[in-house]
Amino acid sequence: MKRRHLMLAALPLSATAAPLAEIQQRLQQPALARGRFEQDKRLAGFAKPLKSTGDYLLVRGKGVLWRTLTPFASQLALTRDAIRADHFQLDAGKEPSVRVVTGLMLALLDGNLAALQAQFELSGSLRGAQGWQAELKPREAALARLFQRIELEGDRQVRRIQLFEAQGDQTLIRFDEQQREPAPPSPDEAQRLA
């Protein structure tokens, strides 16, 4: 399977450039990724997080199919031009913010630091022989109204995303069982990501 490496040529030279360049070398981004996720959503003022689990299919250049299995089943498809769920659809042609939201989520899931650099200040650190962590702080006021910061962790792939929202909520997404040679999209999956 061909793998492509993340290009970070646009990153400014700074004290963080060396770790970010090393993160680029560590990340391998296959054309297709499948795995399982666990998500904990902590709402400000609530003691217990809302937990969900499921699986995902990421097709580079197409989008992601996010299937929640517990606590109840649902499906969400994010493409560059649309957000489709079980009972609604938002199109970028009618809602320009859809492209911003889907672009951000696809870049986070993909670990595409070069794409994220336009909207966030990036810093990174290395962890052991394969691991890394990156922190993103919003550059623009519109994003700062949504996020205080975002943290990514991984090795050859993104393994953890943590969103620290401006209003105090937090979302932690952990990825596991990421398949080395995943099956291609089924006809139904391909249609959902079309």
Side-chain angles (χ1 to χ4, degrees):
M1 176 185 304
K2 281 190 171 181
R3 297 188 188 274
R4 65 177 178 81
H5 288 279
L6 175 67
M7 299 303 296
L8 293 176
L11 287 174
L13 294 176
S14 69
T16 61
L20 291 172
E22 180 65 23
I23 291 170
Q24 165 194 319
Q25 292 177 359
R26 290 180 181 193
L27 265 171
Q28 296 178 350
Q29 298 168 308
L32 183 68
R34 285 185 187 272
R36 297 192 49 78
F37 72 87
E38 292 181 8
Q39 179 175 303
D40 292 341
K41 175 79 173 179
R42 294 189 176 276
L43 301 173
F46 288 85
K48 292 187 177 184
L50 303 172
K51 294 184 175 282
S52 59
T53 63
D55 60 46
Y56 69 92
L57 165 65
L58 176 65
V59 180
R60 308 253 187 269
K62 293 277 189 182
V64 65
L65 185 58
W66 194 262
R67 292 180 280 231
T68 302
L69 302 173
T70 63
F72 49 84
S74 67
Q75 287 194 39
L76 179 70
L78 297 173
T79 66
R80 298 245 179 253
D81 298 320
I83 298 172
R84 295 182 197 97
D86 295 330
H87 301 291
F88 74 88
Q89 179 169 326
L90 299 172
D91 291 309
K94 296 176 184 173
E95 300 282 340
S97 61
V98 166
R99 193 165 278 119
V100 174
V101 170
T102 59
L104 173 62
M105 291 310 297
L106 291 172
L108 288 171
L109 292 167
D110 195 21
N112 189 340
L113 300 180
L116 293 166
Q117 181 194 14
Q119 299 170 314
F120 296 90
E121 293 178 26
L122 303 176
S123 62
S125 62
L126 305 177
R127 304 242 166 128
Q130 297 295 322
W132 55 268
Q133 180 179 22
E135 183 175 273
L136 298 78
K137 292 187 178 175
R139 291 183 188 271
E140 302 172 5
L143 276 176
R145 285 192 291 274
L146 297 174
F147 302 108
Q148 293 175 0
R149 72 182 187 282
I150 299 173
E151 295 177 357
L152 300 175
E153 287 184 20
D155 44 42
R156 292 180 315 130
Q157 296 176 319
V158 174
R159 302 288 183 182
R160 182 179 171 274
I161 299 172
Q162 189 158 13
L163 308 168
F164 295 87
E165 297 174 37
Q167 303 302 318
D169 296 346
Q170 293 181 26
T171 303
L172 173 61
I173 306 168
R174 292 175 302 277
F175 301 98
D176 63 8
E177 297 181 31
Q178 294 169 317
Q179 301 169 8
R180 290 183 85 78
E181 294 187 26
S186 69
D188 179 61
E189 290 171 332
Q191 180 181 359
R192 289 178 184 275
L193 293 173

